[in-house]
Amino acid sequence: MRIKIIKASPKKMKTKPKDESKLGFGKIFTDHFFNMKYKDGKGWYDAVIEPYRPLKLDPTAMCLHYAQEIFEGLKAYRGPNDEIYLFRPTENIKRMNSSAERLCMAQIDEEIFMEALKKMVILEKDWIPRGSGTSLYIRPTLIATEAALGVHPSNEYLFFIVVGPVGAYYPQGFMPTKIYVSEEYVRAAKGGTGFIKAAGNYAASLYASRIATGMGYTQVLWLDAKENKYVEEVGTSNIFFLISDELITPPLTGTILPGVTRNSVVKLANYLGVKVAERLLTIDEVISSLEKGTLKESFASGTAAIVSPVGQIYFRKKEYLINGGKTGPLTEKLYNEILQIQYGLKEDPFGWRVKILEGKKTKKK
Ligand code: COI
């Protein structure tokens, strides 16, 4: 299938942000978006990149009623010579299709998905910011569009991709966050949808997040739904703890999102000679390690958050500082190493970077 491109008229193009330090996250979108439709019996059709516009949906479109809606998040980076990279895009494509399978939605052909990503980013390349920590965030989304109120898998879907320049996910930038351990609310239970990027997972997280932010915390640290004792995720990201000399992150047992950044951190830390364990970790072990002084660092990982230090934990009415509330050296190293790989500033021993546009040729000295 060919992707048709209809360009926005220059008069209607938006003004690009001038101050990259004020980009924030997910507030600015470019001039175009990709979309493609699906119908049972017909398959995918009408792949187009066209001027950005509101969607037209029937009020009974099933995504609006029964949350058949999934999404992905990845980024495009501008290299030092203006070349453009994606970071492990195949992982997002595969995860989107595993999310689609779990919610009985139409899966997307991997080749057309990749082509849509590349064409969108290349068309909007002038929107990709230059500053460190900035990038073009890419949000592929799949929604059920059949107009029907009976509860069943939709027979029609819309897949679309919007992109927009972003800076740091948290307003405070690369600064330690404060996290609140929720014992009352849970994010996901075994057998549920915690391992996929279902929009409904995020809706279900808002109530506890509002309690946490109302108390001055940045994010919720989620515990498992069954025993309420194993650490699972933090906010919209995966979580890591450095206890003694072991970097620990909870294993992918079905309730945790298999983060692309999580996987990259595990591989990178191993490569750097850090001992990494993907194992169950109780909140009691976290707290007792804090009390003993063996818990040295903690950070969250995610596409949006990259590697985001955790400086404080609130649990059962007590506050615990991690590394004196400051970013630890391993957290900082992993953050820098990942960014440098993403921006093409250093060797990529893992083959994660995908160059989608050549840059200016550099002069040979
Ligand atoms: C991402 O890191 O891309 C995410 O999906 C987090 C998002 C919900 C802001």
mmCIF file of all heavy atoms in Angstrom, residues 25 71 73-74 137 139 169 197 202 236 302-305, ligand 1:
data_model
loop_
_atom_site.group_PDB
_atom_site.id
_atom_site.type_symbol
_atom_site.label_atom_id
_atom_site.label_comp_id
_atom_site.label_asym_id
_atom_site.label_seq_id
_atom_site.Cartn_x
_atom_site.Cartn_y
_atom_site.Cartn_z
ATOM 1 N N PHE A 25 6.227 18.788 27.628
ATOM 2 C CA PHE A 25 5.951 17.476 27.018
ATOM 3 C C PHE A 25 4.513 17.401 26.509
ATOM 4 O O PHE A 25 3.566 17.641 27.268
ATOM 5 C CB PHE A 25 6.175 16.349 28.033
ATOM 6 C CG PHE A 25 5.887 14.998 27.441
ATOM 7 C CD1 PHE A 25 6.857 14.321 26.711
ATOM 8 C CD2 PHE A 25 4.624 14.438 27.551
ATOM 9 C CE1 PHE A 25 6.580 13.103 26.119
ATOM 10 C CE2 PHE A 25 4.336 13.203 26.960
ATOM 11 C CZ PHE A 25 5.324 12.538 26.247
ATOM 12 N N PHE A 71 -1.820 2.727 22.443
ATOM 13 C CA PHE A 71 -0.909 3.702 21.847
ATOM 14 C C PHE A 71 0.531 3.282 22.079
ATOM 15 O O PHE A 71 0.809 2.314 22.793
ATOM 16 C CB PHE A 71 -1.182 5.106 22.396
ATOM 17 C CG PHE A 71 -0.846 5.280 23.851
ATOM 18 C CD1 PHE A 71 0.400 5.752 24.237
ATOM 19 C CD2 PHE A 71 -1.766 4.969 24.847
ATOM 20 C CE1 PHE A 71 0.717 5.918 25.574
ATOM 21 C CE2 PHE A 71 -1.460 5.133 26.191
ATOM 22 C CZ PHE A 71 -0.214 5.606 26.553
ATOM 23 N N GLY A 73 4.768 5.157 22.279
ATOM 24 C CA GLY A 73 5.532 6.400 22.399
ATOM 25 C C GLY A 73 6.967 6.118 22.015
ATOM 26 O O GLY A 73 7.587 5.210 22.560
ATOM 27 N N LEU A 74 7.475 6.842 21.033
ATOM 28 C CA LEU A 74 8.891 6.741 20.686
ATOM 29 C C LEU A 74 9.367 8.120 20.243
ATOM 30 O O LEU A 74 8.553 9.052 20.223
ATOM 31 C CB LEU A 74 9.153 5.663 19.629
ATOM 32 C CG LEU A 74 8.632 5.817 18.205
ATOM 33 C CD1 LEU A 74 9.437 4.902 17.288
ATOM 34 C CD2 LEU A 74 7.180 5.423 18.088
ATOM 35 N N TYR A 137 8.677 13.770 19.768
ATOM 36 C CA TYR A 137 7.934 12.633 20.328
ATOM 37 C C TYR A 137 6.945 12.139 19.280
ATOM 38 O O TYR A 137 6.304 12.934 18.586
ATOM 39 C CB TYR A 137 7.193 13.079 21.595
ATOM 40 C CG TYR A 137 6.524 11.928 22.328
ATOM 41 C CD1 TYR A 137 7.272 11.014 23.058
ATOM 42 C CD2 TYR A 137 5.148 11.765 22.285
ATOM 43 C CE1 TYR A 137 6.665 9.962 23.733
ATOM 44 C CE2 TYR A 137 4.525 10.711 22.960
ATOM 45 C CZ TYR A 137 5.298 9.815 23.679
ATOM 46 O OH TYR A 137 4.705 8.779 24.349
ATOM 47 N N ARG A 139 3.653 9.654 18.593
ATOM 48 C CA ARG A 139 2.564 8.973 19.293
ATOM 49 C C ARG A 139 1.667 8.197 18.295
ATOM 50 O O ARG A 139 0.695 8.717 17.768
ATOM 51 C CB ARG A 139 1.739 10.010 20.069
ATOM 52 C CG ARG A 139 0.464 9.527 20.725
ATOM 53 C CD ARG A 139 0.649 8.341 21.633
ATOM 54 N NE ARG A 139 1.466 8.545 22.805
ATOM 55 C CZ ARG A 139 1.033 8.951 23.998
ATOM 56 N NH1 ARG A 139 -0.235 9.248 24.177
ATOM 57 N NH2 ARG A 139 1.866 9.039 25.023
ATOM 58 N N TYR A 169 10.074 15.435 30.397
ATOM 59 C CA TYR A 169 8.707 15.027 30.749
ATOM 60 C C TYR A 169 8.245 15.733 32.024
ATOM 61 O O TYR A 169 7.124 16.203 32.122
ATOM 62 C CB TYR A 169 8.666 13.506 30.932
ATOM 63 C CG TYR A 169 7.266 12.990 31.211
ATOM 64 C CD1 TYR A 169 6.269 13.125 30.251
ATOM 65 C CD2 TYR A 169 6.949 12.372 32.414
ATOM 66 C CE1 TYR A 169 4.976 12.667 30.486
ATOM 67 C CE2 TYR A 169 5.665 11.907 32.652
ATOM 68 C CZ TYR A 169 4.686 12.057 31.688
ATOM 69 O OH TYR A 169 3.413 11.598 31.925
ATOM 70 N N LYS A 197 0.085 -1.329 26.269
ATOM 71 C CA LYS A 197 -0.110 0.124 26.370
ATOM 72 C C LYS A 197 -1.564 0.432 26.017
ATOM 73 O O LYS A 197 -1.878 0.978 24.951
ATOM 74 C CB LYS A 197 0.872 0.862 25.463
ATOM 75 C CG LYS A 197 2.069 1.368 26.270
ATOM 76 C CD LYS A 197 3.018 2.165 25.479
ATOM 77 C CE LYS A 197 3.188 3.582 25.972
ATOM 78 N NZ LYS A 197 3.623 3.723 27.364
ATOM 79 N N TYR A 202 -4.003 3.959 31.821
ATOM 80 C CA TYR A 202 -3.578 5.298 32.259
ATOM 81 C C TYR A 202 -4.743 6.007 32.944
ATOM 82 O O TYR A 202 -4.543 6.718 33.939
ATOM 83 C CB TYR A 202 -3.011 6.081 31.052
ATOM 84 C CG TYR A 202 -1.751 5.401 30.549
ATOM 85 C CD1 TYR A 202 -1.825 4.288 29.710
ATOM 86 C CD2 TYR A 202 -0.503 5.823 30.961
ATOM 87 C CE1 TYR A 202 -0.679 3.614 29.295
ATOM 88 C CE2 TYR A 202 0.654 5.164 30.549
ATOM 89 C CZ TYR A 202 0.556 4.049 29.713
ATOM 90 O OH TYR A 202 1.693 3.393 29.314
ATOM 91 N N THR A 236 4.160 6.388 34.987
ATOM 92 C CA THR A 236 4.047 5.832 33.637
ATOM 93 C C THR A 236 5.372 5.202 33.205
ATOM 94 O O THR A 236 5.623 5.037 32.017
ATOM 95 C CB THR A 236 3.674 6.948 32.647
ATOM 96 O OG1 THR A 236 4.721 7.939 32.699
ATOM 97 C CG2 THR A 236 2.361 7.612 32.994
ATOM 98 N N GLY A 302 11.708 5.390 30.928
ATOM 99 C CA GLY A 302 10.598 5.376 29.971
ATOM 100 C C GLY A 302 10.975 6.233 28.777
ATOM 101 O O GLY A 302 11.933 7.006 28.852
ATOM 102 N N THR A 303 10.220 6.104 27.694
ATOM 103 C CA THR A 303 10.541 6.913 26.513
ATOM 104 C C THR A 303 10.415 8.387 26.853
ATOM 105 O O THR A 303 11.291 9.195 26.545
ATOM 106 C CB THR A 303 9.596 6.555 25.355
ATOM 107 O OG1 THR A 303 9.803 5.189 25.046
ATOM 108 C CG2 THR A 303 9.873 7.401 24.133
ATOM 109 N N ALA A 304 9.308 8.735 27.503
ATOM 110 C CA ALA A 304 9.079 10.145 27.824
ATOM 111 C C ALA A 304 10.047 10.599 28.911
ATOM 112 O O ALA A 304 10.691 11.646 28.795
ATOM 113 C CB ALA A 304 7.637 10.345 28.261
ATOM 114 N N ALA A 305 10.174 9.801 29.962
ATOM 115 C CA ALA A 305 10.979 10.204 31.129
ATOM 116 C C ALA A 305 12.478 9.957 30.934
ATOM 117 O O ALA A 305 13.288 10.442 31.719
ATOM 118 C CB ALA A 305 10.485 9.468 32.364
HETATM 119 C C1 COI B 1 6.181 7.052 27.112
HETATM 120 O O1 COI B 1 7.157 7.072 27.874
HETATM 121 O O2 COI B 1 6.248 7.131 25.879
HETATM 122 C C2 COI B 1 4.870 6.922 27.675
HETATM 123 O O3 COI B 1 4.086 6.245 27.101
HETATM 124 C C3 COI B 1 4.532 7.707 28.816
HETATM 125 C C4 COI B 1 3.387 8.553 28.448
HETATM 126 C C5 COI B 1 2.132 7.959 28.970
HETATM 127 C C6 COI B 1 3.565 9.971 28.777
#
